[in-house]
């Protein structure tokens, strides 16, 4: 069985959908959830789903402690599901093409440092876009610049607020993120 490790900083709705998806098959299992936020709602979700968690700080991430733990876990895939910090190069080099992220817009637009969550949706709204979507991509040393794996768009002409856009994006994320992860794991088996 393949091992997935999740990184999340916030509510963890995507993390929960991924855990539940893989709880129903023998292909893979989420073996641990890492978070940099000791107050993140993802901790409650992980507890309810019986998934171990590891809370870490920036120093532990950047100075190799998190990498050491990952080496012990031996994940087949590392999934960033709403993780807000830049991933350190030593981890990226240790796991080439085994770290993926989901971005709540159609990259390369609305990506880069500071472009996450409601910041993205507000920028999309302010630009009067007719559509937006999600991008699942490999993680490299630059924010949101890794090779694209999957994109899906949605019409937002009826959205008057960033929150309305966020609602449509969450539907896409929850539907497609677990499916794309399963395809990657199946393809790399």
């Amino acid at each position: 069985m393949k091992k997935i490790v999740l990184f999340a900083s916030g509510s963890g709705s995507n993390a929960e959908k991924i855990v539940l998806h893989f709880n129903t098959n023998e292909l893979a299992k989420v073996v641990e959830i890492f978070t940099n936020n000791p107050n993140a709602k993802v901790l409650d979700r992980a507890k309810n789903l019986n998934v171990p968690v590891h809370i870490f700080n920036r120093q532990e991430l950047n100075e190799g402690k998190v990498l050491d733990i990952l080496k012990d876990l031996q994940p087949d895939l590392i999934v960033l599901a709403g993780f807000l910090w830049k991933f350190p190069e030593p981890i990226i080099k240790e796991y080439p093409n085994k770290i993926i992220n989901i971005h709540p817009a159609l990259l390369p637009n609305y990506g880069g440092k500071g472009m996450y969550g409601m910041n993205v949706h507000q920028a999309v709204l302010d630009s009067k876009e007719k559509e937006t979507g999600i991008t699942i991509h490999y993680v490299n040393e630059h924010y949101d610049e890794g090779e694209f794996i999957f994109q899906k768009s949605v019409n937002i002409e009826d959205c008057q607020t960033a929150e309305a856009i966020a609602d449509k994006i969450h539907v896409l994320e929850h539907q497609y993120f677990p499916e794309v992860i399963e395809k990657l794991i199946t393809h790399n088996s």
Side-chain angles (χ1 to χ4, degrees), residues 67 87-97 99 139-141:
L67 177 55
F87 231 54
E89 284 190 46
I91 297 177
I92 295 168
K93 285 185 172 139
E94 184 71 25
Y95 297 97
N97 294 320
I99 307 170
V139 173
N140 66 15
E141 63 276 8

Side-chain angles (χ1 to χ4, degrees), residues 53-107:
V53 296
H54 183 83
I55 302 169
F56 62 92
N57 60 37
R58 195 176 296 275
Q59 183 179 355
E60 291 169 325
L61 180 66
N62 292 330
E63 293 181 3
K65 184 174 181 191
V66 171
L67 177 55
D68 290 342
I69 296 166
L70 287 171
K71 285 179 181 178
D72 288 342
L73 290 171
Q74 298 182 334
D76 297 287
L77 190 66
I78 298 169
V79 177
L80 310 187
F83 182 68
L84 301 183
W85 288 354
K86 188 173 181 187
F87 231 54
E89 284 190 46
I91 297 177
I92 295 168
K93 285 185 172 139
E94 184 71 25
Y95 297 97
N97 294 320
K98 290 192 174 189
I99 307 170
I100 66 169
N101 181 48
I102 191 163
H103 187 76
L106 296 171
L107 292 173

Side-chain angles (χ1 to χ4, degrees), residues 8-9 14 24 30 33 43 65 106 111 118 123 185:
S9 297
N14 276 316
T24 63
V30 175
I33 296 175
L43 294 170
K65 184 174 181 191
L106 296 171
M118 294 307 288
I185 287 175

Side-chain angles (χ1 to χ4, degrees), residues 2-23 28-37 40-43 45-47 49-56 61 66 69-70 73-85 87 91 95 98-102 136 139 173-174 177-182 184-185:
K2 300 289 185 175
K3 293 190 263 184
I4 301 169
V5 170
L6 299 177
F7 279 74
S9 297
S11 78
S13 66
N14 276 316
E16 180 177 56
K17 295 293 184 192
I18 293 164
V19 170
L20 291 171
H21 179 85
F22 287 101
N23 279 352
K29 177 180 169 82
V30 175
V31 295
E32 192 146 349
I33 296 175
F34 284 69
T35 186
N36 59 308
N37 180 354
K41 286 186 180 177
V42 72
L43 294 170
R45 293 181 196 261
K47 182 179 178 185
L49 295 164
N50 295 313
V51 177
V53 296
H54 183 83
I55 302 169
F56 62 92
L61 180 66
V66 171
I69 296 166
L70 287 171
L73 290 171
Q74 298 182 334
D76 297 287
L77 190 66
I78 298 169
V79 177
L80 310 187
F83 182 68
L84 301 183
W85 288 354
F87 231 54
I91 297 177
Y95 297 97
K98 290 192 174 189
I99 307 170
I100 66 169
N101 181 48
I102 191 163
I136 299 169
V139 173
E173 290 174 337
H174 295 165
F177 205 11
E179 290 177 10
V180 170
I181 292 167
E182 183 169 329
L184 282 174
I185 287 175

